[in-house]
Amino acid sequence: MKNLYLISLLLLITTTAFSQEKDQRPNIIYIMSDDHALQAISAYGHEISKVAPTPNIDRIAKEGIQFNQSFVTNSLCGPSRATMLTGKYSHKNGFRHNSDTFDASQNTWVKELNNVGYATAIIGKWHLKSTPEGFDHWNILNDQGEYYNPDFISGGDTTMVEGYTTDLITDYSLGWLEEQKDKNEPFALLIHHKAPHRNWMPPLRYANEFDNVEFPVPDTYFDDYEGRVAASTQEMNVYRDMQEGHDLKMSVEEGSDEWRKDIWPHLFARLTPEQKEGWHKAYRAKNDKMHQANYSEKDLALWKYQRYLQDYCGTVKAVDENIGRVLDYLDENGLAENTIIVYTSDQGFYLGEHGWFDKRFMYEESFKTPLVMRYPKEIKAGKEAEAFVQNIDYGPTFLDFAGVEVPEDMQGTSLREITKKGKTPKDWRESVYYHYYEYPGFHKVKRQYGVRTQDYKLIHFYFDNDDYEFYDLKKDPQEMNNVINDPAYAKQISELKVELARLMKEADEPDFEEWKDTNYRKEARLKKRK
Ligand code: SGN
Ligand code: CA
């Protein structure tokens, strides 16, 4: 009897010791896709998403919090990723445009977590050129990555893996999570999808998914860009600048499987013979139908919009489905409660608004980015937040949740307080700063910086031009009327100019004047020659 008593006492002591030891810090799963417009996430309620819903992303929002005013600091892939990792604006982390190389020796929230015992990993698109640092494990795509049979780089090895990239990224992610199962320390896993980036190749299982769907055409699809110089000189128009082969998968003629213009044929060439056959089977009939219709110029432009959305949403459906796999894994392994799961994109995207695809502009569709977050242990289900948040805030948020002090030089603010009730704290920012630098460059979108408040937006386009634009967002949410010269707005414009100067000062952009005339493309060429 005495022995039994002693044994149970011992058991009690050891289990208590264990449960005290069990690390209670939250796990973090950060899922970021590439170019996922919030118009294509049904939680955000846009017309487009009604015909192509995303039930799994919606689940994160419904069981957690949805940010309705979430912005990037620079609407482009590399810069956005560098900002997300460092919690700093582009001019501070040194990655302004996609030709830059990320200095991976600088501090990131991932390093901070790794330093305090978190297991860390990144799987998928990296696109920062340098080798990832601060991750116990990394398995990344080569540069932009490919949709089918991608190259994965891990350590010094590059391996071409057969399969559909969105599925593979998830397979690897779940594999890594499985390895963490018996470990005591918490983890931070970054799952970075390539989809739905250009050239929008859906998996074969969804290549015909939206063939019979009529996507609602944006009111501004045939925008004439009146009063907006930068908008009129870009090269990202669906019906003018998309490549008919590479982007729209249009065949050269009826009965043919050969694509029209495709300056990157290596992407399709990677498919196995079976995949190619499956692809042709999926596209041949619908391409033939287009040839037979003999469309007018306008109708062809409208047809291109439908094809663009069908393919885009086909890649999104695979992302959403794979997010479902991650959510199921968390449920099945008892991890849901103590894991912060985030879904976002590296920026927003145009789904035909102003006639466009791509991003870069400070206009709403690309300036905004989706952001939903679930953490049952602390965040009550069904919250929506209207506070202005930016991707500089992600790092501070994760560190805050993990109980790590936020380094002073991180420029963002933790969103933890907001996630509690969804309410905007009293002293919260009322304006956001934006700066895009990649010009001259792809899609010819002029360099620009600006400020947005609840009601107004001021943008300054510069480099080989000098144009200000001002929008009354309440009256003109589609940003069609640049009222910079309207005397009725003189007061608001001058107030916003003052606010912009304040934000630039606060963001510590002292080298701006020095930097603004440099032509990074020329410099990169010169560097190469040396
Ligand atoms: C590629 C795309 C562009 C896109 C950039 C940047 N062309 O060059 O359309 O703007 O990436 O995108 S593609 O046909 O090769 O895909 S980013 O998301 O990486 O910044
Ligand atoms: Ca992107």
Side-chain angles (χ1 to χ4, degrees):
M1 191 64 194
K2 209 174 167 193
N3 267 357
L4 206 66
Y5 173 75
L6 269 179
I7 289 169
S8 22
L9 195 69
L10 210 67
L11 259 173
L12 188 73
I13 293 169
T14 37
T15 40
T16 326
F18 264 122
S19 61
Q20 269 171 0
E21 249 176 46
K22 176 80 193 144
D23 207 318
Q24 294 299 314
R25 293 177 295 175
N27 302 304
I28 295 164
I29 298 185
Y30 175 85
I31 310 178
M32 178 164 72
S33 55
D34 196 356
D35 295 356
H36 195 173
L38 54 86
Q39 304 92 290
I41 294 178
S42 33
Y44 282 96
H46 193 277
E47 290 304 310
I48 288 172
S49 66
K50 288 188 181 151
V51 288
T54 50
N56 294 297
I57 299 172
D58 294 3
R59 222 189 112 186
I60 303 180
K62 275 191 213 122
E63 294 172 6
I65 184 162
Q66 173 175 322
F67 289 88
N68 291 332
Q69 308 291 345
S70 150
F71 301 93
V72 291
T73 56
N74 181 355
S75 185
L76 193 64
C77 181
S80 172
R81 284 153 209 267
T83 292
M84 178 276 288
L85 287 168
T86 58
K88 293 178 183 172
Y89 291 99
S90 308
H91 62 275
K92 283 285 180 185
N93 64 45
F95 201 108
R96 290 185 170 90
H97 45 72
N98 281 340
S99 300
D100 271 324
T101 299
F102 183 60
D103 170 11
S105 74
Q106 60 187 308
N107 196 20
T108 64
W109 63 268
V110 178
K111 283 187 187 173
E112 289 281 342
L113 291 184
N114 198 227
N115 290 341
V116 296
Y118 269 69
T120 55
I122 177 165
I123 294 164
K125 183 168 171 179
W126 170 249
H127 203 215
L128 291 169
K129 294 206 192 76
S130 46
T131 303
E133 286 182 27
F135 296 94
D136 296 319
H137 172 74
W138 51 271
N139 192 9
I140 56 173
L141 298 174
N142 182 15
D143 194 51
Q144 290 284 5
E146 301 92 6
Y147 273 105
Y148 280 82
N149 311 333
D151 282 332
F152 273 98
I153 310 172
S154 195
D157 301 325
T158 303
T159 319
M160 181 168 169
V161 188
E162 194 177 320
Y164 188 67
T165 304
T166 309
D167 302 335
L168 293 170
I169 289 172
T170 312
D171 294 347
Y172 290 137
S173 299
L174 296 181
W176 186 79
L177 285 178
E178 196 61 19
E179 285 169 25
Q180 309 313 304
K181 227 174 171 175
D182 301 322
K183 297 186 184 155
N184 192 38
E185 69 259 34
F187 58 78
L189 169 63
L190 284 70
I191 306 177
H192 286 194
H193 288 293
K194 184 236 164 27
H197 188 269
R198 195 180 179 185
N199 64 334
W200 315 291
M201 288 175 79
L204 293 179
R205 62 184 183 279
Y206 296 136
N208 296 105
E209 182 73 14
F210 298 105
D211 287 4
N212 300 316
V213 162
E214 184 75 28
F215 286 97
V217 182
D219 302 341
T220 59
Y221 191 55
F222 292 108
D223 192 349
D224 61 4
Y225 312 122
E226 201 197 319
R228 290 152 292 153
V229 177
S232 68
T233 54
Q234 47 61 43
E235 290 183 358
M236 45 187 257
N237 185 291
V238 175
Y239 39 97
R240 191 192 59 203
D241 302 310
M242 269 193 184
Q243 287 187 37
E244 295 192 330
H246 174 71
D247 293 317
L248 292 160
K249 299 94 183 172
M250 292 161 73
S251 57
V252 286
E253 60 187 359
E254 194 179 338
S256 169
D257 290 325
E258 194 193 324
W259 277 2
R260 288 191 181 182
K261 189 172 178 197
D262 178 11
I263 57 165
W264 295 286
H266 63 282
L267 292 174
F268 191 75
R270 300 179 75 86
L271 272 64
T272 63
E274 296 75 42
Q275 288 168 340
K276 279 184 187 155
E277 196 35 51
W279 187 274
H280 293 321
K281 233 172 137 184
Y283 281 80
R284 194 178 300 147
K286 50 183 173 177
N287 274 336
D288 283 353
K289 218 168 133 192
M290 173 268 304
H291 287 295
Q292 287 152 10
N294 208 4
Y295 290 124
S296 66
E297 200 182 323
K298 185 171 178 204
D299 285 344
L300 187 64
L302 291 167
W303 180 90
K304 286 182 176 178
Y305 174 74
Q306 296 298 330
R307 170 60 61 87
Y308 167 36
L309 268 286
Q310 284 161 7
D311 287 347
Y312 184 94
C313 291
T315 72
V316 164
K317 193 169 168 76
V319 170
D320 187 70
E321 183 183 34
N322 275 285
I323 288 171
R325 290 175 65 202
V326 176
L327 292 173
D328 288 348
Y329 181 89
L330 296 181
D331 285 342
E332 284 155 17
N333 291 280
L335 287 165
E337 185 72 11
N338 198 33
T339 299
I340 299 170
I341 182 162
V342 172
Y343 183 74
T344 185
S345 168
D346 61 343
Q347 6 73 203
F349 209 69
Y350 295 94
L351 298 182
E353 300 84 2
H354 305 287
W356 296 337
F357 63 102
D358 217 71
K359 50 265 178 178
R360 300 160 193 270
F361 279 99
M362 197 192 162
Y363 303 135
E364 293 294 273
E365 290 82 0
S366 46
F367 185 22
K368 273 193 170 168
T369 198
L371 180 67
V372 294
M373 198 182 287
R374 185 188 81 173
Y375 179 31
K377 206 171 169 186
E378 196 174 305
I379 303 175
K380 285 215 186 81
K383 294 263 167 288
E384 284 191 39
E386 302 300 330
F388 278 4
V389 306
Q390 270 187 306
N391 47 352
I392 42 172
D393 301 327
Y394 301 175
T397 305
F398 300 143
L399 294 178
D400 190 3
F401 274 121
V404 177
E405 200 179 323
V406 180
E408 259 188 23
D409 61 350
M410 281 199 179
Q411 295 177 295
T413 309
S414 167
L415 306 177
R416 190 173 182 179
E417 185 60 32
I418 298 175
T419 64
K420 282 187 188 145
K421 291 196 181 120
K423 271 199 190 148
T424 308
K426 272 214 179 80
D427 52 353
W428 195 255
R429 65 169 80 91
E430 288 179 356
S431 62
V432 272
Y433 175 56
Y434 180 82
H435 199 155
Y436 166 81
Y437 307 80
E438 196 175 282
Y439 182 89
F442 255 122
H443 300 296
K444 295 210 168 63
V445 176
K446 306 269 190 204
R447 291 187 196 181
Q448 59 195 274
Y449 61 93
V451 53
R452 185 205 196 276
T453 60
Q454 190 60 43
D455 296 338
Y456 303 110
K457 186 183 288 180
L458 175 77
I459 316 175
H460 182 205
F461 293 92
Y462 71 98
F463 190 63
D464 54 5
N465 65 323
D466 183 14
D467 299 307
Y468 277 90
E469 291 183 8
F470 187 80
Y471 295 94
D472 181 337
L473 298 171
K474 280 250 163 70
K475 278 200 188 142
D476 175 28
Q478 295 177 323
E479 297 159 297
M480 298 289 281
N481 300 311
N482 170 19
V483 290
I484 192 75
N485 296 318
D486 184 341
Y489 288 102
K491 185 171 167 272
Q492 289 91 330
I493 292 169
S494 67
E495 277 171 9
L496 241 67
K497 283 190 176 168
V498 171
E499 179 60 3
L500 178 57
R502 189 193 69 77
L503 284 175
M504 288 176 94
K505 201 166 170 217
E506 188 182 80
D508 195 18
E509 194 142 33
D511 59 344
F512 179 59
E513 285 299 324
E514 249 171 66
W515 194 84
K516 82 178 179 191
D517 298 323
T518 58
N519 183 334
Y520 71 89
R521 284 218 143 176
K522 247 191 215 158
E523 285 178 359
R525 272 200 299 274
L526 287 176
K527 241 190 237 165
K528 254 192 202 159
R529 251 182 249 156
K530 268 186 197 161

Coordinates of all heavy atoms in Angstrom, one line a residue, residues 341-386:
I341 N -2.8 30.7 -37.2 CA -2.7 30.4 -38.6 C -3.1 31.7 -39.4 O -4.1 32.3 -39.1 CB -3.4 29.1 -39.1 CG1 -3.2 28.9 -40.6 CG2 -4.9 29.2 -38.7 CD1 -3.6 27.5 -41.0
V342 N -2.2 32.1 -40.3 CA -2.5 33.3 -41.0 C -2.6 33.0 -42.5 O -1.8 32.2 -43.0 CB -1.3 34.3 -40.8 CG1 -1.4 35.5 -41.7 CG2 -1.2 34.7 -39.4
Y343 N -3.5 33.7 -43.2 CA -3.4 33.6 -44.7 C -3.4 35.0 -45.2 O -4.1 35.9 -44.8 CB -4.7 32.9 -45.2 CG -4.6 32.8 -46.8 CD1 -3.7 31.9 -47.3 CD2 -5.2 33.7 -47.6 CE1 -3.5 31.9 -48.7 CE2 -5.1 33.6 -49.0 CZ -4.2 32.7 -49.5 OH -4.0 32.7 -50.9
T344 N -2.4 35.2 -46.1 CA -2.3 36.5 -46.8 C -1.7 36.3 -48.2 O -1.4 35.2 -48.6 CB -1.5 37.5 -45.9 OG1 -1.4 38.8 -46.5 CG2 0.0 37.0 -45.7
S345 N -1.5 37.4 -48.9 CA -0.8 37.4 -50.2 C 0.3 38.4 -50.1 O 0.3 39.3 -49.3 CB -1.8 37.7 -51.2 OG -1.1 38.0 -52.5
D346 N 1.3 38.3 -51.0 CA 2.4 39.3 -51.0 C 1.9 40.6 -51.5 O 2.6 41.6 -51.2 CB 3.6 38.8 -51.8 CG 3.3 38.5 -53.2 OD1 2.1 38.4 -53.6 OD2 4.3 38.4 -54.0
Q347 N 0.8 40.7 -52.1 CA 0.1 42.0 -52.5 C -1.2 41.6 -53.0 O -1.5 40.5 -53.3 CB 0.9 42.9 -53.4 CG 2.1 42.5 -54.1 CD 2.1 41.5 -55.2 OE1 3.1 40.8 -55.4 NE2 0.9 41.3 -55.9
G348 N -2.0 42.7 -53.3 CA -3.2 42.5 -54.1 C -2.9 42.4 -55.5 O -1.8 42.2 -56.0
F349 N -4.0 42.4 -56.4 CA -3.8 42.1 -57.8 C -5.0 42.7 -58.5 O -6.1 42.8 -57.9 CB -3.7 40.6 -58.0 CG -2.9 40.2 -59.2 CD1 -1.5 40.4 -59.2 CD2 -3.5 39.6 -60.3 CE1 -0.8 40.0 -60.3 CE2 -2.8 39.2 -61.4 CZ -1.4 39.4 -61.4
Y350 N -4.9 43.0 -59.8 CA -6.0 43.4 -60.6 C -6.6 42.3 -61.3 O -5.9 41.5 -62.0 CB -5.6 44.5 -61.6 CG -5.1 45.7 -60.9 CD1 -3.8 45.9 -60.6 CD2 -6.0 46.7 -60.5 CE1 -3.3 47.1 -59.9 CE2 -5.6 47.8 -59.8 CZ -4.3 48.0 -59.5 OH -3.9 49.1 -58.8
L351 N -7.9 42.1 -61.1 CA -8.6 41.1 -61.9 C -9.5 41.8 -62.9 O -10.7 41.7 -62.8 CB -9.5 40.2 -60.9 CG -8.6 39.4 -59.9 CD1 -9.5 38.6 -59.0 CD2 -7.6 38.5 -60.5
G352 N -8.9 42.5 -63.7 CA -9.6 43.2 -64.8 C -10.0 44.7 -64.5 O -10.5 45.4 -65.4
E353 N -9.8 45.1 -63.2 CA -10.2 46.5 -62.9 C -9.2 47.4 -63.7 O -8.0 47.1 -63.7 CB -10.1 46.7 -61.4 CG -11.0 45.9 -60.5 CD -10.4 44.5 -60.2 OE1 -9.2 44.2 -60.6 OE2 -11.1 43.7 -59.6
H354 N -9.7 48.5 -64.2 CA -8.9 49.4 -65.1 C -8.4 48.6 -66.3 O -7.5 49.1 -67.0 CB -7.8 50.0 -64.4 CG -8.2 50.8 -63.1 ND1 -8.8 52.0 -63.2 CD2 -8.0 50.5 -61.8 CE1 -9.1 52.4 -61.9 NE2 -8.6 51.5 -61.1
G355 N -8.9 47.4 -66.6 CA -8.5 46.6 -67.7 C -7.2 45.8 -67.4 O -6.6 45.3 -68.3
W356 N -6.8 45.8 -66.2 CA -5.5 45.3 -65.8 C -5.4 43.9 -65.2 O -6.3 43.4 -64.6 CB -4.8 46.2 -64.8 CG -4.6 47.6 -65.3 CD1 -4.4 48.0 -66.6 CD2 -4.4 48.8 -64.5 NE1 -4.2 49.3 -66.7 CE2 -4.2 49.8 -65.4 CE3 -4.4 49.0 -63.1 CZ2 -4.0 51.2 -65.0 CZ3 -4.2 50.3 -62.7 CH2 -4.0 51.4 -63.6
F357 N -4.2 43.3 -65.3 CA -3.7 42.3 -64.5 C -2.4 42.9 -63.8 O -2.2 44.1 -63.9 CB -3.3 41.0 -65.3 CG -2.2 41.1 -66.3 CD1 -0.9 40.7 -66.0 CD2 -2.4 41.7 -67.5 CE1 0.1 40.8 -66.9 CE2 -1.4 41.9 -68.4 CZ -0.1 41.4 -68.1
D358 N -1.7 42.1 -63.0 CA -0.6 42.6 -62.2 C -0.9 43.6 -61.1 O -2.1 43.6 -60.6 CB 0.5 43.2 -63.1 CG 1.9 42.8 -62.6 OD1 2.3 41.7 -62.7 OD2 2.6 43.7 -62.1
K359 N 0.0 44.3 -60.6 CA -0.1 45.0 -59.3 C 0.6 46.4 -59.4 O 0.3 47.2 -60.2 CB 0.4 44.2 -58.2 CG 1.8 43.6 -58.4 CD 1.8 42.2 -58.9 CE 3.2 41.7 -59.2 NZ 3.3 40.3 -59.6
R360 N 1.5 46.7 -58.4 CA 2.4 47.9 -58.5 C 1.8 49.2 -58.1 O 2.4 50.0 -57.4 CB 3.1 47.9 -59.8 CG 3.9 46.7 -60.2 CD 4.2 46.5 -61.6 NE 4.7 45.2 -61.9 CZ 6.0 44.8 -61.9 NH1 6.9 45.7 -61.7 NH2 6.4 43.6 -62.2
F361 N 0.6 49.5 -58.6 CA 0.0 50.8 -58.4 C -0.5 50.9 -56.9 O -0.8 49.9 -56.3 CB -1.2 51.0 -59.3 CG -0.9 51.5 -60.7 CD1 -0.8 50.6 -61.7 CD2 -0.6 52.8 -60.9 CE1 -0.5 51.0 -63.0 CE2 -0.3 53.2 -62.2 CZ -0.2 52.3 -63.2
M362 N -0.6 52.2 -56.5 CA -1.1 52.4 -55.1 C -2.7 52.4 -55.1 O -3.3 52.7 -54.1 CB -0.5 53.7 -54.6 CG -0.7 53.9 -53.1 SD -0.3 55.5 -52.6 CE -1.1 55.5 -51.0
Y363 N -3.3 52.2 -56.3 CA -4.7 52.1 -56.3 C -5.2 50.8 -55.5 O -4.4 49.9 -55.3 CB -5.2 52.0 -57.7 CG -4.8 53.1 -58.6 CD1 -4.3 52.9 -59.9 CD2 -4.9 54.4 -58.2 CE1 -3.9 53.9 -60.7 CE2 -4.5 55.5 -59.0 CZ -4.0 55.2 -60.3 OH -3.6 56.2 -61.1
E364 N -6.4 50.9 -55.0 CA -6.9 49.9 -54.0 C -6.6 48.5 -54.3 O -6.2 47.7 -53.4 CB -8.4 50.1 -53.8 CG -8.8 51.4 -53.1 CD -8.3 51.6 -51.7 OE1 -9.0 51.2 -50.8 OE2 -7.2 52.2 -51.6
E365 N -6.9 48.0 -55.5 CA -6.8 46.5 -55.7 C -5.4 45.9 -55.5 O -5.3 44.8 -55.1 CB -7.3 46.2 -57.2 CG -8.7 46.4 -57.4 CD -9.1 47.9 -57.7 OE1 -8.2 48.7 -57.7 OE2 -10.3 48.1 -57.9
S366 N -4.4 46.7 -55.8 CA -3.0 46.1 -55.5 C -2.4 46.6 -54.2 O -1.5 46.0 -53.7 CB -2.1 46.4 -56.7 OG -2.2 47.8 -57.1
F367 N -2.9 47.7 -53.7 CA -2.4 48.3 -52.5 C -2.9 47.4 -51.3 O -2.2 47.2 -50.3 CB -2.9 49.7 -52.4 CG -2.4 50.5 -51.2 CD1 -1.2 50.2 -50.5 CD2 -3.1 51.7 -50.8 CE1 -0.8 51.0 -49.5 CE2 -2.6 52.5 -49.8 CZ -1.5 52.1 -49.1
K368 N -4.2 47.0 -51.4 CA -4.7 46.2 -50.4 C -4.3 44.7 -50.5 O -4.1 44.3 -51.7 CB -6.3 46.2 -50.5 CG -6.9 47.4 -49.7 CD -8.4 47.2 -49.6 CE -8.9 48.2 -48.6 NZ -10.4 48.3 -48.7
T369 N -4.2 44.0 -49.5 CA -3.9 42.6 -49.5 C -4.8 41.8 -48.5 O -5.1 42.4 -47.5 CB -2.4 42.3 -49.3 OG1 -2.0 41.1 -49.8 CG2 -2.0 42.5 -47.8
P370 N -5.2 40.6 -48.8 CA -6.0 39.9 -47.9 C -5.2 39.6 -46.6 O -4.0 39.4 -46.7 CB -6.4 38.6 -48.6 CG -5.4 38.4 -49.7 CD -4.9 39.8 -50.0
L371 N -5.9 39.5 -45.5 CA -5.3 39.1 -44.2 C -6.3 38.6 -43.3 O -7.2 39.3 -42.8 CB -4.5 40.3 -43.6 CG -3.8 40.0 -42.2 CD1 -2.7 39.0 -42.4 CD2 -3.3 41.3 -41.5
V372 N -6.2 37.3 -43.0 CA -7.1 36.6 -42.1 C -6.2 35.8 -41.1 O -5.2 35.3 -41.5 CB -8.2 35.7 -42.7 CG1 -9.1 36.5 -43.6 CG2 -7.5 34.6 -43.6
M373 N -6.7 35.7 -39.9 CA -5.9 35.1 -38.8 C -6.7 34.3 -37.8 O -7.8 34.8 -37.4 CB -5.2 36.2 -38.1 CG -4.0 35.9 -37.3 SD -3.3 37.4 -36.5 CE -2.6 38.3 -37.8
R374 N -6.3 33.1 -37.5 CA -7.1 32.3 -36.5 C -6.1 31.9 -35.4 O -5.0 31.4 -35.6 CB -7.7 31.1 -37.2 CG -8.6 30.3 -36.3 CD -9.0 29.0 -36.9 NE -8.0 28.0 -36.8 CZ -8.1 26.7 -37.2 NH1 -9.3 26.3 -37.7 NH2 -7.1 25.8 -37.1
Y375 N -6.6 32.0 -34.2 CA -5.8 31.5 -33.0 C -6.8 31.3 -31.9 O -7.0 32.2 -31.0 CB -4.8 32.6 -32.6 CG -3.9 32.3 -31.4 CD1 -3.6 30.9 -31.1 CD2 -3.4 33.3 -30.6 CE1 -2.8 30.7 -30.0 CE2 -2.6 33.0 -29.5 CZ -2.3 31.7 -29.2 OH -1.5 31.4 -28.1
P376 N -7.5 30.2 -31.9 CA -8.6 29.9 -31.0 C -8.3 30.2 -29.5 O -9.2 30.7 -28.8 CB -8.9 28.4 -31.2 CG -8.4 28.1 -32.5 CD -7.2 29.0 -32.7
K377 N -7.1 30.0 -29.1 CA -6.7 30.2 -27.7 C -7.0 31.7 -27.3 O -7.3 31.9 -26.1 CB -5.3 29.8 -27.5 CG -4.9 29.4 -26.2 CD -3.5 28.8 -26.2 CE -3.0 28.6 -24.8 NZ -1.6 28.2 -24.8
E378 N -6.8 32.6 -28.2 CA -6.9 34.0 -27.8 C -7.8 34.8 -28.7 O -8.4 35.8 -28.2 CB -5.5 34.6 -27.9 CG -5.4 35.9 -27.1 CD -4.1 36.5 -27.0 OE1 -3.1 35.8 -26.5 OE2 -3.9 37.7 -27.4
I379 N -8.0 34.4 -29.9 CA -8.8 35.3 -30.8 C -10.3 34.6 -30.9 O -10.4 33.5 -31.3 CB -8.2 35.4 -32.2 CG1 -6.8 35.9 -32.2 CG2 -9.1 36.2 -33.1 CD1 -6.1 36.0 -33.5
K380 N -11.2 35.5 -30.6 CA -12.6 35.0 -30.6 C -13.1 34.9 -32.1 O -12.7 35.7 -32.9 CB -13.6 35.9 -29.9 CG -13.4 35.7 -28.4 CD -14.8 36.0 -27.7 CE -14.7 36.0 -26.2 NZ -14.2 37.3 -25.7
A381 N -13.9 33.9 -32.4 CA -14.3 33.7 -33.8 C -15.2 34.8 -34.3 O -15.9 35.5 -33.5 CB -15.1 32.4 -33.9
G382 N -15.1 35.1 -35.6 CA -16.1 36.0 -36.3 C -15.8 37.5 -36.1 O -16.7 38.3 -36.2
K383 N -14.5 37.8 -35.9 CA -14.2 39.2 -35.8 C -13.8 39.8 -37.1 O -13.2 39.2 -37.9 CB -13.0 39.4 -34.8 CG -13.3 39.0 -33.4 CD -13.7 40.2 -32.5 CE -14.4 39.8 -31.2 NZ -15.7 39.3 -31.3
E384 N -14.1 41.1 -37.3 CA -13.6 41.8 -38.5 C -13.0 43.1 -38.0 O -13.5 43.8 -37.0 CB -14.8 42.2 -39.4 CG -15.2 41.0 -40.2 CD -16.2 41.3 -41.3 OE1 -15.9 42.3 -42.0 OE2 -17.1 40.5 -41.5
A385 N -11.9 43.5 -38.6 CA -11.2 44.7 -38.1 C -11.1 45.7 -39.2 O -10.9 45.4 -40.4 CB -9.7 44.4 -37.7
E386 N -11.3 47.0 -38.9 CA -11.2 48.1 -39.9 C -10.0 48.9 -39.7 O -9.8 49.9 -40.4 CB -12.5 49.0 -39.8 CG -13.8 48.2 -40.0 CD -13.9 47.6 -41.4 OE1 -13.3 48.1 -42.3 OE2 -14.6 46.5 -41.4

